Amino acid sequence: MDFIWVLLVAVVISTQDSAAKVNENLTKITWAHAVNDAEYLTRVLDSDIQFIEADISLGFLKEDANQENEIPIMAHPPATVSDISLETFLKRILQYNQQTAKAKGIKLDFKSIGAFERSIDIIRSSYDMGKFNTWINADILPGPVDNTATVPVDPARFFAAAKRLGKATLSIGWTTRWGADFSEGSYTEQQVDAMSSAIYANGIDKAGNAITFPVRAGIVAHSITRMVRLFCTLKDTNNVTFTIWSSENDFVDVERLREFIFTVGLDRTYVDVPEALHRALRLDENAFANTCKKTLDARCFE
């Protein structure tokens, strides 16, 4: 997601307990994005933000003047230089989480399969994924609206590497093309089937990892039935949630997006969108006080 903003919603939820569960409103969890430099990380650690999203690429530290040591760094392409490495980033958050009762979750967004494969040993040695909520994010399949500008991360290599991280939550999505001028488009049956097929082909159903599907707000608003089918396909083997995201100026049919959230349920939907859109969704209304999980499960038998 090519934007930097921080969504502030007043709520106190232990991030360590933020995996989907009955009666928990995941739409209230707060996010910081593109935490790709040391100073910004300091500010986020000093805040009430509950989830830290950051981008990992292969590149160089600023102190490496000759650019001779390419390593996983915190940077979003096309940037190839950062003042903080993945290793330092993880160690700082681990130190913070070990000293507080309100631990922060992390979402590591990998921009290439090379960056992910080079990061596995660093993650294993620098962080405690068993104790603190850890998401591994990548777009592993081509997605809606004829997106051809972004190359997805190879799914077979992604899953092979991810298995070395044990039970980390897999945040796996599709590349997308959308914006203010788009109003038509959806996740197609073929794209949804390709996702479930990739999960089964690589044994992630048997591994039992929690899975969250990052879905773009303006597109998923037109894809309710297909996303319900994806949930139903995997619900017996994996803990499935959806993470709705949006760029600042995306067109979004707010009422249809509310319908998606209401259908899936507040206990299975993270809402990681700009503050104005979050307010427009009116998720604090009494009509959304109870989870819709039972309704969603019932739809699997329709």
Side-chain angles (χ1 to χ4, degrees):
M1 290 176 273
D2 296 331
F3 53 91
I4 301 176
W5 42 261
V6 177
L7 171 63
L8 296 173
V9 182
V11 65
V12 176
I13 303 174
S14 171
T15 307
Q16 197 172 341
D17 296 329
S18 63
K21 61 180 72 173
V22 175
N23 295 327
E24 183 172 331
N25 187 346
L26 301 181
T27 71
K28 288 181 174 289
I29 287 176
T30 57
W31 302 79
H33 296 91
V35 185
N36 297 335
D37 65 77
E39 191 275 334
Y40 188 22
L41 177 59
T42 297
R43 287 191 284 120
V44 171
L45 291 176
D46 287 340
S47 75
D48 292 330
I49 290 293
Q50 296 162 292
F51 238 98
I52 300 172
E53 185 269 348
D55 306 299
I56 298 92
S57 301
L58 289 177
F60 307 92
L61 290 176
K62 290 180 178 179
E63 62 200 50
D64 184 5
N66 296 321
Q67 296 193 351
E68 295 177 344
N69 185 27
E70 187 180 57
I71 60 173
I73 60 169
M74 312 313 295
H76 189 291
T80 59
V81 177
S82 176
D83 68 351
I84 186 169
S85 66
L86 172 63
E87 181 177 5
T88 299
F89 175 88
L90 292 174
K91 286 182 176 179
R92 286 191 58 188
I93 298 175
L94 178 62
Q95 182 181 29
Y96 173 89
N97 282 346
Q98 289 173 332
Q99 297 174 350
T100 181
K102 298 178 182 178
K104 299 181 188 295
I106 56 172
K107 178 179 178 179
L108 303 176
D109 190 356
F110 290 92
K111 298 307 183 183
S112 71
I113 189 60
F116 185 38
E117 290 172 339
R118 287 277 301 276
S119 299
I120 298 299
D121 289 338
I122 295 172
I123 298 170
R124 286 164 57 92
S125 63
S126 304
Y127 203 69
D128 188 344
M129 293 176 296
K131 188 172 183 181
F132 303 114
N133 209 346
T134 309
W135 292 13
I136 305 299
N137 183 81
D139 293 333
I140 64 169
L141 292 173
V145 199
D146 299 322
N147 179 59
T148 58
T150 306
V151 178
V153 170
D154 180 84
R157 290 174 64 183
F158 174 84
F159 286 127
K163 287 178 180 178
R164 295 179 57 201
L165 295 178
K167 293 296 186 179
T169 295
L170 303 182
S171 174
I172 45 178
W174 302 260
T175 62
T176 60
R177 186 166 69 101
W178 199 251
D181 297 329
F182 291 82
S183 60
E184 299 294 332
S186 65
Y187 293 94
T188 67
E189 289 188 13
Q190 292 80 7
Q191 289 159 355
V192 169
D193 289 344
M195 180 63 76
S196 57
S197 294
I199 290 168
Y200 285 129
N202 290 280
I204 301 305
D205 56 322
K206 295 182 177 63
N209 292 74
I211 297 173
T212 190
F213 293 109
V215 287
R216 200 161 185 169
I219 302 174
V220 79
H222 301 275
S223 313
I224 298 174
T225 300
R226 287 184 277 277
M227 288 301 160
V228 168
R229 183 161 62 84
L230 181 60
F231 168 82
C232 295
T233 299
L234 296 164
K235 72 180 183 68
D236 292 331
T237 56
N238 303 84
N239 182 10
V240 177
T241 59
F242 295 89
T243 302
I244 300 171
W245 67 275
S246 178
S247 290
E248 190 70 42
N249 296 315
D250 279 2
F251 170 81
V252 179
D253 186 325
V254 173
E255 292 308 313
R256 293 184 73 168
L257 184 59
R258 287 181 86 239
E259 181 183 354
F260 173 77
I261 296 170
F262 183 80
T263 300
V264 173
L266 300 188
D267 61 335
R268 293 195 175 274
T269 312
Y270 296 88
V271 179
D272 179 14
V273 300
E275 188 175 1
L277 176 56
H278 201 287
R279 288 197 307 267
L281 287 166
R282 307 187 306 282
L283 296 178
D284 291 326
E285 290 186 353
N286 290 334
F288 286 83
N290 298 312
T291 179
C292 299
K293 179 176 180 294
K294 291 182 180 180
T295 302
L296 181 59
D297 285 338
R299 289 189 62 164
C300 295
F301 299 98
E302 293 179 354

